[in-house]
Amino acid sequence: MTVTVNGPLPSGSYDVAVVGAGVVGCAVARELARHPRLRVALVEAQDDVGQGTSKANTAVLHTGFDAVPGSLEARLVREGSCQLAAYAAESGIAVEPVGALLVAWDAEQLAALPQLTEKAVRNEYRDTRLIDPPELYEREPHLGPGALGALHVPGESIICPWTTTLAYATQAVRHGVDLHLNSPVSGVSWCDGAHAVTTPRGTLHTRYLVNAAGLHADTLDRHLGHHDFTVTPRRGQLIVFDKLARELVHHILLPVPTALGKGVLVAPTVYGNLLLGPTAEDLDDKRATGSTGQGLALLREKGARILPALLDEEITAVYAGLRAATEQDDYRITAHPEQAYVTVGGIRSTGLTASMAIAAHVTALLADTGLDLGPAQDLDPVRMPNLGESHPRPHQNAQLVAADPEYGTLVCHCERVSRGEIRDALASTVPPRNLDGLRRRTRARAGRCQGFYCGAAVRALFEGGGA
């Protein structure tokens, strides 16, 4: 198992290098790991997997009911949704099948609901159902006044995005993929049947290249002479409400979608909170992940209509993520056989859901371009810590605590995280490199006090390696 964070990159040549260790890049690396003959590298600019768009989204496991029928995205979301649901059950990734309600607030939106039902059928999802105001308010009694009806989509779920990315990376590394962190790509050249990938840690050589660079996929594309799309970072700001707000809502509350996206929703999280967001702001700066007063005010205005009581609840955190929007309302996955190169661009909010299907599609494209995959093998399952609020926490397991008292010693009381969990995370296959990485693996410091109470103790454990 190889995870590197500093020092020179290996001098030998890889069969495939995947640039970008977000949820899609990690899924591709995991899929390639099923072929043991291949020497595979996963190259990431930052110091952890899932540090970009993958860590800051609404964490919805989509059915794909409202995708553009016939699009690549529609097919991959449809396939990926089933695959990820099964994988989550096998791997311990928290999922809650809460269902969704698309709420119509005016006559125009109400008239659009039957069309969305037809679109869902064209996307091979047939479980949607129109419901009238009495049933809507019976299902969601705290919904704001004036809703005219809704479309019920029972198959929509919520999922833990952090554990999903980490599970893919863990499985890939355990099956021979080399993960190179702190390796931002500054240039790529193609010569004599091989790619030279330039990073501050040296040059990595590979026969085949997969561009899963997210917000920077267009930049990497241009290094190889392609100008097929431009990524416009679309900022989504979100507000996280305290767990005491969780009982206000029972479904994912969706607006009728617009050209800019799925709009502002109210959604429960698997961690027991409520989310309000996201905004949809097209920007020029691919690093602009800060929240703004204007954006948060807009969310509060929208939230006041959707769920008025929500604004009386405590806010735990705010955050913002950037989606990789392009000129086309579909994924931009393209093979360039003459360069042994596959671009995986324009993967926006549905990328988490579609990740396993995208990985299979990309692997097939690599084979079509001439890569000899060799025989395939089943991967040894991984079992990840389940971070879901509805799942028993380790400190609640009497047998576990009796065998190892560290699981009975809480460090983060808001999220009920024990010393044993922190120790395990620090000793894991892909360990955290900072406190934020530890939070994504354990929930430590993610609660209502945001580390005010436990921060020093968590830091001491982190710096001491969990001892």
Side-chain angles (χ1 to χ4, degrees), residues 403-420:
D404 187 344
E406 291 287 86
Y407 291 111
T409 305
L410 294 186
V411 180
C412 171
H413 287 263
C414 293
E415 298 297 309
R416 296 168 294 151
V417 181
S418 67
R419 287 176 60 99

Side-chain angles (χ1 to χ4, degrees), residues 232-316:
T232 299
R234 182 167 292 163
R235 181 167 60 193
Q237 301 184 50
L238 297 107
I239 300 175
V240 183
F241 287 87
D242 188 77
K243 294 178 184 181
L244 293 175
R246 175 65 181 83
E247 293 305 313
L248 290 177
V249 70
H250 306 295
H251 305 74
I252 304 164
L253 301 181
L254 297 170
V256 177
T258 69
L260 279 178
K262 298 181 184 300
V264 174
L265 56 79
V266 174
T269 75
V270 294
Y271 319 116
N273 304 96
L274 281 187
L275 282 182
L276 172 63
T279 58
E281 311 156 56
D282 286 346
L283 307 173
D284 296 322
D285 187 354
K286 295 182 179 181
R287 299 168 298 175
T289 56
S291 300
T292 67
Q294 182 179 8
L296 298 179
L298 172 66
L299 292 181
R300 289 180 64 84
E301 178 186 332
K302 298 279 189 182
R305 182 176 194 186
I306 302 168
L307 207 68
L310 186 59
L311 300 192
D312 295 328
E313 300 292 333
E314 296 289 337
I315 292 174
T316 295

Side-chain angles (χ1 to χ4, degrees), residues 117-150:
T117 298
E118 294 171 6
K119 179 184 277 191
V121 171
R122 293 172 65 193
N123 284 319
E124 300 181 26
Y125 185 80
R126 295 175 173 82
D127 292 337
T128 62
R129 185 172 65 90
L130 295 170
I131 62 175
D132 58 18
E135 181 179 349
L136 173 59
Y137 282 96
E138 181 180 356
R139 287 177 171 273
E140 294 292 351
H142 296 285
L143 194 67
L148 302 181

Side-chain angles (χ1 to χ4, degrees), residues 52-298:
T53 301
S54 300
K55 75 175 182 182
N57 53 49
T58 52
V60 175
L61 181 54
H62 297 278
T63 59
F65 77 97
D66 59 344
V68 177
S71 65
L72 179 62
E73 180 182 20
R75 176 173 71 83
L76 296 181
V77 170
R78 183 169 62 247
E79 295 173 0
S81 179
C82 297
Q83 294 169 354
L84 181 51
Y87 181 75
E90 172 189 282
S91 305
I93 299 167
V95 174
E96 288 187 46
V98 293
L101 293 169
L102 259 81
V103 181
W105 295 97
D106 58 38
E108 183 180 356
Q109 293 176 6
L110 187 65
L113 295 185
Q115 299 169 19
L116 286 168
T117 298
E118 294 171 6
K119 179 184 277 191
V121 171
R122 293 172 65 193
N123 284 319
E124 300 181 26
Y125 185 80
R126 295 175 173 82
D127 292 337
T128 62
R129 185 172 65 90
L130 295 170
I131 62 175
D132 58 18
E135 181 179 349
L136 173 59
Y137 282 96
E138 181 180 356
R139 287 177 171 273
E140 294 292 351
H142 296 285
L143 194 67
L148 302 181
L151 184 68
H152 184 212
V153 189
E156 299 277 297
S157 302
I158 52 176
I159 189 170
C160 178
W162 305 334
T163 312
T164 303
T165 304
L166 186 62
Y168 292 160
T170 297
Q171 223 169 3
V173 170
R174 288 181 181 175
H175 287 84
V177 172
D178 290 346
L179 171 60
H180 301 301
L181 302 169
N182 290 328
S183 302
V185 173
S186 57
V188 178
S189 61
W190 164 255
C191 184
D192 296 330
H195 295 277
V197 182
T198 305
T199 81
R201 296 178 54 196
T203 300
L204 183 143
H205 300 276
T206 181
R207 292 195 299 127
Y208 288 79
L209 183 66
V210 176
N211 172 5
L215 291 166
H216 303 281
D218 56 342
T219 303
L220 187 56
D221 227 29
R222 282 158 177 65
H223 283 308
L224 290 167
H226 304 289
H227 298 266
D228 297 338
F229 63 93
T230 297
V231 172
T232 299
R234 182 167 292 163
R235 181 167 60 193
Q237 301 184 50
L238 297 107
I239 300 175
V240 183
F241 287 87
D242 188 77
K243 294 178 184 181
L244 293 175
R246 175 65 181 83
E247 293 305 313
L248 290 177
V249 70
H250 306 295
H251 305 74
I252 304 164
L253 301 181
L254 297 170
V256 177
T258 69
L260 279 178
K262 298 181 184 300
V264 174
L265 56 79
V266 174
T269 75
V270 294
Y271 319 116
N273 304 96
L274 281 187
L275 282 182
L276 172 63
T279 58
E281 311 156 56
D282 286 346
L283 307 173
D284 296 322
D285 187 354
K286 295 182 179 181
R287 299 168 298 175
T289 56
S291 300
T292 67
Q294 182 179 8
L296 298 179
L298 172 66

